[in-house]
Amino acid sequence: EFVRRERRSVVAGERAYTFCHVLVRDVAYGQIPRAMRAEKHRLAAEWISSLPRPEDRAEMLAHHYVSALELSQAAGEESAILSDQAQVALQLAGDRATGLNAFAAAVRFYRRALALLPEDDPERPQLLFRYGHVLNVTEGRGDAELTEAVQGLLVAGDSELAAEAEVMLAESAWH
């Protein structure tokens, strides 16, 4: 009687089981070696990606890839591929949160994605723009991120997005 079958699954046609008590779940989870837990989180993320409309599950996808990355690093394993996957999943989750006007969540997702993205990555200016935008909306700041985004966007030849960032900076200065 450690687990029970749920009457309904969140995924049609799949069976779902839950632990009867959260402490039992935590102890069971803690008994699995880190490397194996990382692999299970990676597999869960891949399964979520295979479902229809994975963007609806962006936060869950980001959780599993980030957990896999952290556990893999703690186990001393190579994690470059997981880092890339986690970064993409975090961007997707940030975009989804922004689309739902959940700007505080978007700030968290974009901040984590930026931490995983190399400084010289060509996608960095666009991510900085999105991060600066949600910071501006939620906290009334983000000028440093937007300024850095403008420079990178101009170098990348994306003058339209750079102009949008400049407008945000001007509005921020005006306020």
Side-chain angles (χ1 to χ4, degrees):
E1 295 185 8
F2 290 121
V3 295
R4 68 173 178 266
R5 183 174 175 197
E6 290 294 319
R7 291 182 185 178
R8 289 189 218 159
S9 175
V10 293
V11 179
E14 295 286 332
R15 289 185 181 162
Y17 295 89
T18 58
F19 283 95
C20 293
H21 198 283
V22 70
L23 291 175
V24 174
R25 181 202 66 194
D26 290 348
V27 169
Y29 184 76
Q31 297 300 309
I32 303 170
R34 285 181 181 149
M36 192 180 294
R37 277 189 273 168
E39 179 65 8
K40 289 183 184 302
H41 277 288
R42 185 190 63 75
L43 291 170
E46 287 179 2
W47 177 73
I48 291 166
S49 295
S50 73
L51 295 173
R53 298 178 45 111
E55 63 276 1
D56 289 345
R57 297 167 193 82
E59 188 172 343
M60 201 178 345
L61 187 65
H63 163 75
H64 284 293
Y65 274 127
V66 168
S67 295
L69 175 63
E70 290 171 348
L71 289 164
S72 180
Q73 289 173 337
E77 294 183 342
E78 175 59 36
S79 58
I81 293 171
L82 278 175
S83 180
D84 292 343
Q85 291 169 323
Q87 190 273 327
V88 169
L90 286 163
Q91 274 193 54
L92 182 64
D95 293 346
R96 177 76 173 158
T98 300
L100 296 171
N101 291 331
F103 295 117
V107 166
R108 287 192 315 274
F109 291 129
Y110 287 147
R111 183 180 300 130
R112 301 252 349 238
L114 276 168
L116 295 174
L117 197 63
E119 294 284 330
D120 60 344
D121 192 288
E123 291 183 29
R124 189 172 179 82
Q126 291 179 353
L127 182 55
L128 275 168
F129 170 79
R130 293 192 300 248
Y131 180 53
H133 169 71
V134 294
L135 277 176
N136 191 294
V137 169
T138 57
E139 302 172 17
R141 59 185 191 89
D143 290 357
E145 290 78 9
L146 288 170
T147 301
E148 187 181 340
V150 167
Q151 295 165 353
L153 290 166
L154 290 173
V155 168
D158 192 347
S159 56
E160 188 176 318
L161 201 55
E164 261 189 78
E166 287 285 3
V167 168
M168 286 182 203
L169 287 166
E171 286 176 351
S172 177
W174 183 72
H175 287 295

